[in-house]
Amino acid sequence: MPDLAPTPSVLFVCVHNAGRSQMAAAFLTHLAGDHVQVRSAGSAPADTVNPAVVAAMAESGIDISAEIPKVLTAEAVQSSDVVITMGCGDTCPVFPGKRYLDWQLPDPAGQGVEAVRPIRDEIERRVRDLLTEITQTT
């Protein structure tokens, strides 16, 4: 690996791109700034981000109210170094040379903010660990 590695890129994927992947992308963007390229997408994106997720993230000082769920594309996967799935099953395309992680997390869909908080906190913990790992290897 060259010493001047390009900025690492991470793609977070869940089915609706309305909860878990939005929280993960927001935390990584917040913590890494422009040191990591962050994307999120869903295999069957919802129309809007889950309001309880927006409220839970606001409690952490991160505003995701303007985010819009995005459809998962093969191009997004191909252009990412690390692809983290969160309950999207076999709908995520797999390309050689990419690193795939599957984070088993409860789905916040239909849940109130009280139920979303522990999911948010676990996502933040995992994102912090991921950030430490990918910034040490670049």
Side-chain angles (χ1 to χ4, degrees), residues 42-53:
S43 53
D47 293 328
T48 60
V49 175
N50 179 334
V53 166

Side-chain angles (χ1 to χ4, degrees), residues 71-136:
V71 69
L72 175 65
T73 64
E75 293 79 23
V77 176
Q78 282 182 301
S79 60
S80 299
D81 299 313
V82 180
V83 178
I84 298 174
T85 57
M86 303 172 186
C88 71
D90 296 331
T91 60
C92 189
V94 175
F95 293 96
K98 303 295 173 192
R99 179 170 173 214
Y100 292 86
L101 300 172
D102 186 43
W103 289 358
Q104 297 293 322
L105 296 160
D107 188 347
Q111 304 291 324
V113 71
E114 299 80 18
V116 173
R117 285 182 188 121
I119 301 167
R120 173 202 64 200
D121 294 346
E122 176 61 15
I123 289 172
E124 181 180 13
R125 184 191 67 74
R126 292 182 188 203
V127 166
R128 286 181 182 278
D129 289 348
L130 175 71
L131 181 59
T132 299
E133 181 184 321
I134 64 176
T135 54
Q136 287 176 348

